[in-house]
Amino acid sequence: MNIQKEIKVSYFNPETSYASFHFVHTLKKCCKECLSLDKNLVILCIGSDRVIGDCLGPLVGHKLSSLLKNSGISVYGTLKKPVHAKNLDATLKKIRASIQNPYIIALDSSLGTNSHVGFVTLGKGALHPGIGTGKNLTHVGDIFITGIVNESGINNIATLQTTHLATVVKLADFIAAGVYMSVRPSKAR
């Protein structure tokens, strides 16, 4: 019998007053395992810089790579070097070869119901990138974060191409600030 553990997903609406506080608090709780197991934190931002609805990961990676410079936290997937369907497996090999005991926070854009567009999700467990566009990619991460950039529909590839940039930027700002506040080195606090 194959029993799967149910993954609890938390939703955060960046438009509400205490969303960032709750996001930081929840992410810190999830990251405690990383600290207690003496693992090295890796932030893996997945997406393409060529499609507006899929550029959330590279935007967050771009912001975090400068905020976390010299912190000992590795950030993969930026606007200059995005991690996407074609190089995800190679990037994972590189992470495993160069970082001892990696603990991965995987981040990507997602599609959802109309009532959740503009929300951020967070949970423990692996991220399943490419699901919205029918790709079967490697599941990755110990913690996942997604930004729901648009409504899921019949043609999700076209939906990602017609996503509002303002939605993606708002989500990227919220996620980057929240991740930074959650994982920044104690000297910066």
Side-chain angles (χ1 to χ4, degrees):
M1 178 161 47
N2 186 7
I3 300 174
Q4 287 189 332
K5 190 166 67 169
E6 187 174 318
I7 297 175
K8 181 179 181 268
V9 178
S10 299
Y11 286 78
F12 304 90
N13 180 354
E15 301 288 320
T16 60
S17 54
Y18 291 104
S20 61
F21 170 80
H22 292 299
F23 178 76
V24 169
H25 176 73
T26 306
L27 184 54
K28 280 183 177 181
K29 278 177 43 180
C30 290
C31 286
K32 276 187 179 179
E33 180 179 296
C34 173
L35 300 172
S36 67
L37 296 175
D38 198 31
K39 293 194 170 226
N40 293 302
L41 188 60
V42 175
I43 301 169
L44 178 61
C45 303
I46 301 167
S48 170
D49 63 331
R50 295 175 181 241
V51 177
I52 290 174
D54 198 29
C55 73
L56 177 68
L59 271 175
V60 173
H62 175 78
K63 292 170 182 283
L64 288 176
S65 63
S66 62
L67 288 170
L68 296 172
K69 194 174 189 175
N70 302 320
S71 69
I73 297 170
S74 301
V75 178
Y76 289 83
T78 63
L79 290 172
K80 284 186 180 179
K81 292 183 178 180
V83 175
H84 45 69
K86 291 182 180 177
N87 67 2
L88 177 61
D89 288 334
T91 302
L92 290 172
K93 283 182 185 175
K94 181 179 178 182
I95 290 169
R96 290 183 188 115
S98 62
I99 299 172
Q100 188 176 19
N101 284 333
Y103 190 87
I104 300 174
I105 297 175
L107 190 144
D108 198 1
S109 58
S110 67
L111 300 172
T113 64
N114 187 39
S115 62
H116 283 121
V117 172
F119 279 57
V120 172
T121 69
L122 168 64
K124 287 185 84 171
L127 176 71
H128 301 211
I131 262 182
T133 55
K135 294 179 181 154
N136 186 17
L137 303 177
T138 303
H139 300 179
V140 61
D142 299 287
I143 296 172
F144 65 86
I145 299 171
T146 68
I148 303 172
V149 297
N150 211 331
E151 187 174 357
S152 182
I154 295 168
N155 186 352
N156 288 337
I157 293 171
T159 299
L160 286 172
Q161 292 173 336
T162 59
T163 295
H164 292 284
L165 181 58
T167 302
V168 177
V169 170
K170 177 185 74 170
L171 289 167
D173 289 343
F174 178 87
I175 293 169
V179 170
Y180 175 69
M181 297 297 288
S182 301
V183 304
R184 66 187 173 169
S186 57
K187 292 176 190 171
R189 292 180 189 175

